[in-house]
Amino acid sequence: MSRAAQAEDPPRCVPLRAGPVLERAAFHELRRTMELSCFKWDVQVGDTTALAPFPLLLDAATWAHLADLAERLTHETLAAEQEILHRPALQRRISLPRAHQRLFGPGAPPTPAAARVMRFDFHFTTEGWRVSEVNSDVPGGYTEATHLPALMAGFFPGTRAAGDPTKHLVDALLGAAQDLGSLALLSAPGFMEDHQVIAHLARELRDRGAAAVCASPDHIRFHDGRAHLVSAQQGGPLGAIVRFYQAEWFPRLPSAVDWAPLFVGGRTPVCNPGIAALSESKRLPLVWDELGARLDTWRRLLPETRDPRDAPWARDDGWILKSAYCNTGDTVSMRPHMTPLQWATLALRVSLAPSGWVAQRRFVTVPLETPIGPRLPCIGVYTVDGRAAGVYGRVTEKPFIDGAATDAAVLITETDA
């Protein structure tokens, strides 16, 4: 059982606010630019825009604070991974897929990292800043965190983007690939939202003079630990691989696909390497007390997290449920926001397989008044190789962030703005 997060001082004021809405013509042009030039292909979801027509404004002092917290969290996360890598019992506790447990055995060196990218989701709550989770396996949102703030800042003098996670990542990838050849960017066929991420990164790499190819895992072959692209047009080993393919999906691939060197024993550096699957598990807090690594920042910012068998979630709506490898909020569940049948079905699933779930105490996010009504914001802070690199902003009417949340540019203002 993890220890309860230590509350910060109650907030005196909200260090985040919504800016004014863009004029209709300006917002239409911004949306069109994101769609046609920035690989944001899902600017419209049904009848609703996926982009907020206003920015989120964060003062410079608060941004420096969040950047520092994210860097501390990154250091602690990497330390925890290194311990769990050599402890099979803990791998089972965090519900790491069995196929991965077999890989991370004694004498199997983890594949080197071309870069390590994490995104920590911060929420400003009635108790101060809290973190709901880290996206450490395949964090996305690069074009929304790079181009959307840059475009929005042009309409708001005196503001700037928090950073450029795309540039930081591309710099790291080019440094890792060096002169060894092309870079392959992997995603799952048929998932447009994933392909637009690697298409965006591939263009940025090509603009920097690199040969970048969008592919899927079955397009890669390994020889003596070096990755090669299966293509008559490409020869020689790859310089690096960008893996935008979720770790838990690999065991479902046909046996002919050799994906293990993306995790262990590979000589071609990978972003993110398979070891990231260890910290992606939402059950990681359940083994904190068994680690030697200091996790002070995590303990302070993450709400209390328990095994479902040790939490009163069935009778107390102050708890939420999520699966160990929840993605984009797809399994985050709260009884007040579900039908009785949905809740009963979920309760049965959790009761039958509790080791694949966690229960986490709810926090209350402070709502923002925006031009489109009250919204709850999420500030996703990226780190690339341990350094804060930018922000992915989202707003929602729900008490949690999921795939239906609206992307919002986060702009930094001076403290007294």
Side-chain angles (χ1 to χ4, degrees):
M1 182 191 306
S2 70
R3 300 173 187 164
Q6 300 174 8
E8 296 180 342
D9 292 335
R12 298 178 181 177
C13 61
V14 180
L16 179 70
R17 59 189 174 90
V21 69
L22 289 184
E23 293 182 359
R24 185 181 184 90
F27 181 59
H28 175 77
E29 186 59 30
L30 183 149
R31 270 175 42 111
R32 184 175 177 83
T33 300
M34 287 294 296
E35 185 175 26
L36 299 182
S37 302
C38 302
F39 296 92
K40 178 61 176 173
W41 298 329
D42 54 351
V43 297
Q44 188 82 12
V45 179
D47 294 329
T48 306
T49 179
L51 301 178
F54 57 87
L56 299 178
L57 303 176
L58 195 66
D59 66 71
T62 300
W63 164 234
H65 176 57
L66 294 181
D68 177 67
L69 291 176
E71 291 176 1
R72 292 173 183 268
L73 289 168
T74 300
H75 176 77
E76 294 177 5
T77 302
L78 294 173
E81 284 180 0
Q82 288 301 317
E83 285 196 57
I84 299 172
L85 177 64
H86 304 292
R87 300 178 64 178
L90 298 189
Q91 294 174 19
R92 292 190 292 272
R93 292 267 314 274
I94 66 172
S95 198
L96 183 72
R98 292 181 180 179
H100 297 36
Q101 294 178 37
R102 290 191 291 269
L103 290 179
F104 293 135
T111 295
R116 276 306 302 267
V117 186
M118 301 183 191
R119 195 186 72 232
F120 299 89
D121 286 348
F122 286 87
H123 308 259
F124 190 72
T125 76
T126 52
E127 297 178 305
W129 288 105
R130 290 289 176 269
V131 170
S132 57
E133 63 181 26
V134 58
N135 297 273
S136 61
D137 188 39
V138 287
Y142 298 109
T143 190
E144 296 89 345
T146 296
H147 296 300
L148 181 58
L151 291 169
M152 190 70 80
F155 297 97
F156 295 91
T159 67
R160 59 179 173 84
D164 186 341
T166 299
K167 180 182 184 303
H168 285 277
L169 177 54
V170 168
D171 286 346
L173 293 172
L174 293 176
Q178 298 180 348
D179 298 324
L180 293 180
S182 305
L183 294 92
L185 299 93
L186 310 183
S187 69
F191 287 79
M192 182 191 73
E193 64 272 24
D194 292 357
H195 185 68
Q196 68 184 8
V197 172
I198 65 169
H200 160 67
L201 293 174
R203 187 188 64 179
E204 299 293 327
L205 286 163
R206 292 172 191 141
D207 286 348
R208 297 279 295 276
V213 180
C214 295
S216 62
D218 61 338
H219 294 150
I220 304 297
R221 297 291 183 272
F222 288 89
H223 306 291
D224 192 28
R226 291 286 186 190
H228 296 253
L229 194 64
V230 180
S231 171
Q233 286 74 41
Q234 301 292 334
L238 291 166
I241 292 175
V242 176
R243 177 180 65 85
F244 203 79
Y245 192 102
Q246 294 168 203
E248 69 273 20
W249 290 357
F250 281 95
R252 308 174 195 169
L253 289 170
S255 58
V257 179
D258 183 17
W259 54 269
L262 297 171
F263 289 71
V264 297
R267 297 172 61 196
T268 301
V270 178
C271 173
N272 275 332
I275 191 175
L278 299 175
S279 56
E280 179 67 20
S281 172
K282 307 308 180 278
R283 287 176 60 88
L284 185 65
L286 305 187
V287 303
W288 282 355
D289 290 343
E290 300 178 50
L291 300 178
R294 293 185 61 89
L295 302 169
D296 298 341
T297 315
W298 268 119
R299 293 180 185 277
R300 179 159 58 94
L301 296 176
L302 189 75
E304 182 180 6
T305 303
R306 300 185 186 181
D307 185 288
R309 290 164 287 197
D310 299 326
W313 57 270
R315 62 181 185 275
D316 183 352
D317 289 344
W319 295 82
I320 66 171
L321 294 168
K322 62 175 73 172
S323 61
Y325 284 91
C326 172
N327 290 285
T328 62
D330 57 355
T331 63
V332 175
S333 303
M334 302 179 183
R335 178 161 51 183
H337 299 273
M338 304 174 73
T339 67
L341 178 59
Q342 289 172 331
W343 178 254
T345 302
L346 173 71
L348 178 61
R349 290 179 62 193
V350 175
S351 299
L352 292 175
S355 62
W357 294 80
V358 293
Q360 192 174 81
R361 283 197 184 275
R362 291 184 60 177
F363 51 69
V364 179
T365 302
V366 177
L368 291 183
E369 289 299 328
T370 79
I372 59 174
R375 293 293 185 272
L376 303 180
C378 174
I379 304 298
V381 179
Y382 294 89
T383 62
V384 177
D385 289 337
R387 300 298 301 274
V391 173
Y392 178 26
R394 287 162 291 172
V395 295
T396 182
E397 295 181 89
K398 300 179 182 179
F400 56 88
I401 296 293
D402 61 11
T406 302
D407 300 326
V410 177
L411 301 180
I412 309 303
T413 67
E414 293 304 321
T415 305
D416 59 354

